[in-house]
Amino acid sequence: MAVSQNDNVTWLTQEAYDRLKEEYEYLSGPGRTDIAKKIEAAREEGDLRENGGYHAAKDEQGKMEARIFHLRQILDNARVGEAPRAEGIVGPGMTVTVRFAGDDDEVTFLLASREESGAPIDVYSPNSPLGSAINGKKIGEKATYTLPNGRQNTVEILEAVPYIGN
């Protein structure tokens, strides 16, 4: 029986949650104040059409606001701890080994939020095409997913064990 999982939940370690919360608090507080000061200082330099500093600061502000929005979404949907998981069934928090169709090579990765980037192995998001296709599959089962170029790829699940860290 597969473990029921909410697709909107992002499972994070306490360390990852704290790191993202700290980044969010900085960007949405002092970060916003700093970029507003840069924009104002550049605005005072005169003609905005030819003011590279002003345009760079506005671009930086746009990127920062996008990151703030992304972090807010992650934090709003985050659960700290480990995703419910059962050995032999692919799910978030599992170390998964797959073999691609027509290839003898095996690939092992952690199926988890990309915010868990501190993992010593590759991390694939459960929301990625591959992650979505294999989520809930058992050892020995195959899954087919669509690559960004529109081609289909098939993998066989060789192993799915809880991730135990480094």
Side-chain angles (χ1 to χ4, degrees), residues 14-77:
Q14 186 66 54
E15 177 216 354
Y17 181 86
D18 292 345
R19 179 173 38 84
L20 294 175
K21 187 169 171 54
E22 184 178 312
E23 181 184 358
Y24 173 79
E25 288 171 355
Y26 170 76
L27 290 177
S28 61
R32 278 186 171 145
T33 303
D34 292 347
I35 196 68
K37 287 177 184 174
K38 280 185 188 177
I39 291 170
E40 186 57 36
R43 184 178 284 139
E44 290 174 1
E45 292 175 12
D47 187 357
L48 298 182
R49 288 175 295 166
E50 296 181 18
N51 188 329
Y54 174 79
H55 294 292
K58 289 296 281 183
D59 187 48
E60 184 181 342
Q61 180 186 41
K63 290 176 183 175
M64 187 177 75
E65 290 299 326
R67 179 66 178 162
I68 290 170
F69 179 78
H70 182 70
L71 289 170
R72 184 75 262 154
Q73 283 186 309
I74 291 169
L75 293 170
D76 285 348
N77 294 309

Side-chain angles (χ1 to χ4, degrees), residues 131 136 140 159:
E159 184 177 52

